């Protein structure tokens, strides 16, 4: 069965401004660690070699190309009589022979956010060298820090979760996947679909790079598949809790790596961008209402682009669709208006200014068949001081493979900032530096989600 790969927020850009975007797409090598023979730990960048030995997983991402500014070469060496492989800055350290370069790590920890130091280690009992990241230990080995930097990875882990509970909601963000919001649990129900790195609750920024259309993805790229060593999760630079607020920052990967010099074994990172969130649970003491503040950091002003703030992918049992217009307090079921399946051009339902009433204050809600468990996305139009240009909801029942969090079938909610046309308004202006945008997430029964959306409107939150 063909895997459903979902880009976020499920739209592509036409030709846009010819302003050249700062070229910061960096193709990466994945440094895997394997064990050859009985005890020789070896760093590998070759997928065939990786698959030929016992694998300890991904250790780092480092730049693939020697022309990446601020980097230096690391070689893999070999000594036959031990035997031992060793990573080095020179081609013949200690009488070792050259295997070849394995990548080009940065020489400064501040070159890019989220970097960690490469640590070479040495085991005096068997004269073996190995590469490790700062968040693991290898028994019997002595550290030899290298003073160069890459993006730490997570060995063979698919999840490294930070949890937070308040207002009856528990959220978990996954450090392996850019800090994207991996699970949302209310009333014993886990709502989110995590079948690939285009799902979850996350942000994305779509723009024209001057070369190709780009999708900077908070969670990772489209090359998703088990086991974990084949996953390309975005690097995470911040993952923390402070009271009832959880904060994450991702150095996003390009969703379509092959458009920027990458492939299924070489992710591509947008090194000067950040996408992240500050999500506050129990917002204003409203229980299962969360304020979701999206953050976007750009190296220069963009006058055309589309920001998902956020996109939300739900398990397939959430399959009844509603719009809610807050000024009129009208809830309308839209289930019959949502096409079933993955037909090209599937528009779903869009709540925007073409509707009557137009989108000013309001939200979209998806529920299970009973309405007892509902998930809502509330926003305020940018022209009224809010953040969203429009809201949308879609259904992708292509595989008919069930309702698990890992099933390919999914439904989706999106809050979107920006527009597709060149003659866009100020909602299409994304300034250099960091900007923030607000939306509100709610889980409860359908009736209570509607009621809480109306409370948000009466409080005139933005």
């Amino acid at each position: 069965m063909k895997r459903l790969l979902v880009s976020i927020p499920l739209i592509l850009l036409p030709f846009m401004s010819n302003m050249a975007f700062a070229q910061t797409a960096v193709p990466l090598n994945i440094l895997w660690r394997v064990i050859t023979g009985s005890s020789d730990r070896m760093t590998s960048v070759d997928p065939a070699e990786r698959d030929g030995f016992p694998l300890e997983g991904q250790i780092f991402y480092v730049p693939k190309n020697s022309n990446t500014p601020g980097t230096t070469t690391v070689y893999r060496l070999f000594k036959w009589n031990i035997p031992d492989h060793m990573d080095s800055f020179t081609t013949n350290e200690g009488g070792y022979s050259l295997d070849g370069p394995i990548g080009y790590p940065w020489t400064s920890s501040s070159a890019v956010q989220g970097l960690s130091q490469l640590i070479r280690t040495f085991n005096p009992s068997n004269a073996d060298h190995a590469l490790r990241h700062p968040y693991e230990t290898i028994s019997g080995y002595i550290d030899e820090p290298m003073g160069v930097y890459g993006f730490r990875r997570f060995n063979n882990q698919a999840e490294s979760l930070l949890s937070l509970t308040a207002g009856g909601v528990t959220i978990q963000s996954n450090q392996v996947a850019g800090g994207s919001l991996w699970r949302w649990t209310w009333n014993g129900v886990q709502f989110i679909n995590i079948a690939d790195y285009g799902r979850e609750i996350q942000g994305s920024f779509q723009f024209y790079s001057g070369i190709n259309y780009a999708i900077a993805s908070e969670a990772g790229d489209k090359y998703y598949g088990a086991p974990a060593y084949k996953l390309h999760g975005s690097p995470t630079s911040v993952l923390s809790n402070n009271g009832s607020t959880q904060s994450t920052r991702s150095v996003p990967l390009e969703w379509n790596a092959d458009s920027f010099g990458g492939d299924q074994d070489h992710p591509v990172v947008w090194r000067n961008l950040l996408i992240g969130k500050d999500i506050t649970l129990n917002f204003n003491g409203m229980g299962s209402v969360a304020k979701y503040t999206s953050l976007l950091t750009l190296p220069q002003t963009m006058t055309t682009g589309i920001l998902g703030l956020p996109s939300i992918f739900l398990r397939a049992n959430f399959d009844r669709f509603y719009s809610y217009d807050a000024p009129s307090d009208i809830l309308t079921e839209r289930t019959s208006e949502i096409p079933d399946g993955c037909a090209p051009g599937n528009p779903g339902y869009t709540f925007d200014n073409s509707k009557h009433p137009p989108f000013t204050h309001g939200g979209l809600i998806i529920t299970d068949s009973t309405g007892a468990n509902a998930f809502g996305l509330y926003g305020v139009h940018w022209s009224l001081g809010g953040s969203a240009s429009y809201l949308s909801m879609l259904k992708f029942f292509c595989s008919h493979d069930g309702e698990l969090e890992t099933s390919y079938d999914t439904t989706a909610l999106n809050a979107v900032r920006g527009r597709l046309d060149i003659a866009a308004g100020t909602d299409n202006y994304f300034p250099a530096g960091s900007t923030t945008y607000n939306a509100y997430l709610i889980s409860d029964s359908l009736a209570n989600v509607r009621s809480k959306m109306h409370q948000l409107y009466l409080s005139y939150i933005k």
Side-chain angles (χ1 to χ4, degrees):
M1 183 180 298
K2 185 177 180 181
R3 153 162 270 148
L4 169 63
L5 293 173
V6 181
S7 60
I8 39 181
L10 300 162
I11 43 184
L12 294 176
L13 302 180
F15 179 78
M16 301 191 298
S17 165
N18 61 5
M19 180 190 73
F21 189 79
Q23 298 304 310
T24 57
V26 179
L28 301 169
N29 277 347
I30 302 173
L31 304 186
W32 293 285
R33 194 174 65 222
V34 301
I35 301 177
T36 71
S38 61
S39 60
D40 176 23
R41 286 184 161 92
M42 177 180 76
T43 305
S44 178
V45 297
D46 180 355
E49 187 176 64
R50 170 202 69 195
D51 294 342
F53 298 100
L55 178 67
E56 294 186 319
Q58 297 182 6
I59 310 302
F60 281 98
Y61 296 152
V62 298
K64 174 187 175 185
N65 298 322
S66 61
N67 61 356
T68 304
T71 63
T72 191
T73 308
V74 170
Y75 302 93
R76 192 179 77 189
L77 310 182
F78 182 67
K79 183 174 282 191
W80 289 95
N81 63 337
I82 299 177
D84 178 43
H85 290 85
M86 176 176 68
D87 302 329
S88 177
F89 298 118
T90 68
T91 60
N92 60 356
E93 181 183 347
Y96 279 61
S97 300
L98 175 65
D99 272 354
I102 58 172
Y104 303 89
W106 284 280
T107 57
S108 170
S109 61
S110 60
V112 184
Q113 290 208 38
L115 295 179
S116 294
Q117 184 172 191
L118 278 68
I119 301 173
R120 191 175 79 177
T121 63
F122 176 69
N123 187 338
S125 68
N126 61 6
D128 181 59
H129 291 84
L131 181 70
R132 76 168 182 90
H133 58 69
Y135 299 92
E136 65 171 345
T137 58
I138 309 176
S139 179
Y141 285 73
I142 301 169
D143 287 346
E144 299 175 347
M146 300 184 74
V148 293
Y149 303 87
F151 295 113
R152 169 260 178 123
R153 299 312 296 155
F154 293 82
N155 302 84
N156 287 314
Q157 288 180 260
E159 298 181 356
S160 176
L161 302 175
L162 179 67
S163 297
L164 181 66
T165 299
V169 172
T170 296
I171 59 172
Q172 294 178 304
S173 293
N174 189 359
Q175 189 176 7
V176 179
S180 58
L181 211 166
W182 201 248
R183 294 189 178 92
W184 174 295
T185 303
W186 172 82
N187 194 33
V189 176
Q190 202 292 103
F191 284 77
I192 305 306
N193 181 286
I194 58 170
D196 60 47
Y197 281 162
R199 314 296 182 93
E200 296 79 53
I201 297 179
Q202 63 169 305
S204 67
F205 185 60
Q206 302 187 30
F207 58 94
Y208 183 65
S209 71
I211 301 174
N212 289 310
Y213 298 110
I215 306 174
S217 168
E218 181 180 359
D221 69 20
K222 68 182 182 181
Y223 292 110
Y224 186 99
Y229 67 81
K230 291 188 175 181
L231 310 183
H232 300 172
S234 294
T236 303
S237 65
V238 173
L239 184 75
S240 64
N241 290 334
N242 182 11
S244 60
T245 297
Q246 186 170 97
S247 299
T248 67
R249 303 290 184 266
S250 167
V251 188
L253 295 186
E254 168 56 37
W255 177 255
N256 294 307
D258 48 319
S259 296
F260 294 89
D263 56 40
Q264 63 183 350
D265 296 303
H266 298 91
V268 173
V269 70
W270 290 100
R271 66 179 180 90
N272 286 342
L273 275 68
L274 284 179
I275 296 175
K277 68 176 181 293
D278 298 320
I279 180 168
T280 300
L281 302 182
N282 192 25
F283 174 69
N284 279 1
M286 295 177 67
S288 57
V289 178
K291 180 179 181 180
Y292 191 106
T293 299
S294 298
L295 175 135
L296 176 68
T297 299
L298 296 173
Q300 68 182 66
T301 296
M302 295 288 290
T303 57
T304 318
I306 297 176
L307 178 65
L309 45 107
S311 296
I312 301 162
F313 288 84
L314 302 176
R315 292 167 48 216
N317 57 303
F318 298 98
D319 58 1
R320 294 183 66 183
F321 300 80
Y322 298 83
S323 66
Y324 174 70
D325 180 65
S328 62
D329 193 21
I330 293 176
L331 179 74
T332 305
E333 184 161 6
R334 304 289 181 181
T335 303
S336 64
E337 302 175 47
I338 310 293
D340 186 3
C342 298
N346 177 1
Y349 176 83
T350 301
F351 191 15
D352 60 19
N353 284 340
S354 69
K355 300 291 188 296
H356 182 75
F359 168 51
T360 57
H361 306 253
L364 300 176
I365 307 168
I366 304 180
T367 81
D368 61 12
S369 60
T370 68
N373 297 292
F375 201 100
L377 171 63
Y378 180 91
V380 178
H381 195 263
W382 67 273
S383 65
L384 299 173
S387 297
S389 300
Y390 61 90
L391 310 178
S392 68
M393 52 188 174
L394 304 99
K395 176 168 62 176
F396 294 91
F397 286 1
C398 310
S399 302
H400 304 287
D401 62 342
E403 301 172 348
L404 301 176
E405 64 178 24
T406 54
S407 298
Y408 297 153
D409 283 357
T410 185
T411 56
L413 296 162
N414 298 287
V416 179
R417 176 69 171 229
R419 297 191 286 176
L420 296 176
D421 55 300
I422 296 174
T426 56
D427 59 325
N428 234 33
Y429 178 82
F430 297 95
S434 296
T435 49
T436 57
Y437 308 87
N438 295 328
Y440 298 83
L441 313 185
I442 309 166
S443 56
D444 210 310
S445 67
L446 174 61
N448 287 342
V449 170
R450 171 186 180 166
S451 175
K452 290 178 179 182
M453 285 188 175
H454 198 59
Q455 292 178 54
L456 291 171
Y457 168 69
L458 295 176
S459 301
Y460 196 66
I461 60 88
K462 292 186 287 186

